[in-house]
Amino acid sequence: MNFKMPGKVYRTAMSPLAASHMLIAAGTEDVQVRLCDIASGAISQTLSGHRDGIMTVEWSTSSEWILVTGGCDGAIRFWDIRRAGCFRVLDQSQSQLGRRPPLLKRKSLSAGQNSSVKPRAPQKRSANGNGVRQSSVGRIPAKGSVRQRLHPGMLSSQDRATAHYGAVTGLKVTEDGMYLLSAGSDSRIRLWDVESGRNTLVNFETVRLQTSKPIQLATTQDPAVVFVPCMTAVKAFDIWSGKTCLTFRGHYEHVNCCCFSSQDQELYTGGNDRQILVWCPSRLISDGVDAGPMQDQDNWSD
């Protein structure tokens, strides 16, 4: 099957949750994101909004309909592919402090409330007195004021918001779908709260990132650690503090991508040296497990 693109392809992605569609999202030199349908063999949709090429695309891990894209214009946009236009543009100047409790923890807290008082979801009042519920990512907003009905991506003041000073070169949604990690040609890594769309202000230690090519990030399932290709090395950062946990050195040229297997607890990295390296925790070696072609295991300890 062959899909013709208008220019160099930077990144492709398929949804890990998709049950209703067979779409490949493709980011290219062109300003439009293209959705290639495997079922029909044709490009079924184009998403317009970026002002420059799209370097990275990433599907949500909580909804099969939500796509996140990062462009050379420094913007990160959220799309619901069932609707026209993007519904959110991240703004690095909009920030919040603190970490949200996990979803399961929040449910248990709600269940532990006084049973005599029935909890009610907070509502905003519109001008005509009707209650309007706050909508989460991927849900269609309820009727209310004109400003609430409009997609944030359609508002001129928010449409030009940027997430990085330069191109967005990498995106990764955490396994629980609550946070988004982004990397940019400004050599910055940012952690975003998906529900609010705000920058969490985690200060990741200074790194050197590639500026002209996209990179692929990886996270552990917790999530607690993010793996980031940093020139000829891969660095592991604590997601909540931004501090460097480990550094993986073994490639002779720039590293472009990494992937973490939560089942095998292994990290796979690929670089311009045409090598794919497999990294495993040192405890697997000490326990006498055959490491096969593993390289540089001493750099990784559990």
Side-chain angles (χ1 to χ4, degrees):
M1 193 169 289
N2 184 27
F3 299 95
K4 187 170 179 60
M5 294 291 131
K8 181 189 295 183
V9 178
Y10 287 122
R11 184 86 163 89
T12 60
M14 293 186 71
S15 172
L17 306 175
S20 305
H21 65 76
M22 298 175 66
L23 297 175
I24 303 172
T28 69
E29 290 177 317
D30 190 55
V31 296
Q32 292 181 319
V33 182
R34 284 167 171 77
L35 300 181
C36 307
D37 190 356
I38 299 177
S40 65
I43 296 175
S44 62
Q45 234 175 313
T46 56
L47 308 176
S48 301
H50 284 282
R51 293 176 174 80
D52 207 338
I54 294 94
M55 270 202 168
T56 179
V57 291
E58 177 85 357
W59 289 94
S60 168
T61 55
S62 58
S63 171
E64 64 177 300
W65 307 108
I66 305 302
L67 178 69
V68 189
T69 60
C72 296
D73 54 0
I76 296 177
R77 293 176 178 265
F78 281 69
W79 313 79
D80 185 333
I81 63 172
R82 298 168 295 183
R83 306 184 66 191
C86 72
F87 66 87
R88 173 175 291 164
V89 182
L90 298 186
D91 188 346
Q92 58 186 309
S93 64
Q94 300 294 320
S95 58
Q96 69 179 32
L97 288 172
R99 173 181 169 187
R100 286 194 293 129
L103 188 61
L104 293 176
K105 185 178 179 181
R106 283 188 289 168
K107 284 183 178 180
S108 62
L109 288 175
S110 301
Q113 291 178 351
N114 189 350
S115 59
S116 62
V117 181
K118 187 176 181 180
R120 295 184 61 185
Q123 294 185 349
K124 283 190 175 181
R125 286 287 177 182
S126 59
N128 58 6
N130 294 327
V132 181
R133 286 187 179 180
Q134 294 284 359
S135 60
S136 58
V137 174
R139 294 181 183 175
I140 299 175
K143 291 184 178 180
S145 65
V146 175
R147 186 175 181 83
Q148 286 174 323
R149 287 203 303 269
L150 284 174
H151 284 148
M154 301 297 186
L155 302 176
S156 59
S157 60
Q158 298 178 15
D159 188 43
R160 296 185 178 274
T162 59
H164 286 271
Y165 295 113
V168 180
T169 56
L171 293 172
K172 179 63 180 177
V173 180
T174 56
E175 293 291 330
D176 56 15
M178 294 172 65
Y179 295 93
L180 171 71
L181 285 143
S182 67
S185 60
D186 54 1
S187 287
R188 293 287 186 272
I189 303 168
R190 291 195 168 92
L191 179 68
W192 307 83
D193 185 292
V194 171
E195 186 176 15
S196 65
R198 292 177 178 267
N199 179 8
T200 60
L201 296 178
V202 174
N203 185 23
F204 288 89
E205 292 182 351
T206 305
V207 293
R208 287 186 62 199
L209 303 176
Q210 293 195 58
T211 59
S212 59
K213 295 176 68 175
I215 58 175
Q216 181 178 328
L217 314 179
T219 59
T220 54
Q221 196 172 12
D222 299 324
V225 176
V226 56
F227 302 96
V228 182
C230 301
M231 307 308 281
T232 59
V234 174
K235 290 194 174 184
F237 296 93
D238 183 281
I239 287 182
W240 312 117
S241 68
K243 294 182 179 180
T244 305
C245 304
L246 294 166
T247 300
F248 302 86
R249 293 187 176 91
H251 287 278
Y252 298 104
E253 295 185 35
H254 289 175
V255 182
N256 301 317
C257 56
C258 54
C259 179
F260 181 76
S261 170
S262 56
Q263 181 178 357
D264 300 322
Q265 294 294 298
E266 293 177 349
L267 177 69
Y268 309 95
T269 60
N272 287 349
D273 54 2
R274 302 182 183 181
Q275 299 289 324
I276 297 176
L277 303 186
V278 184
W279 312 77
C280 70
S282 57
R283 63 178 177 82
L284 296 182
I285 307 302
S286 62
D287 289 346
V289 179
D290 183 13
M294 306 297 177
Q295 299 190 31
D296 298 292
Q297 295 93 344
D298 292 338
N299 290 335
W300 193 354
S301 59
D302 55 347

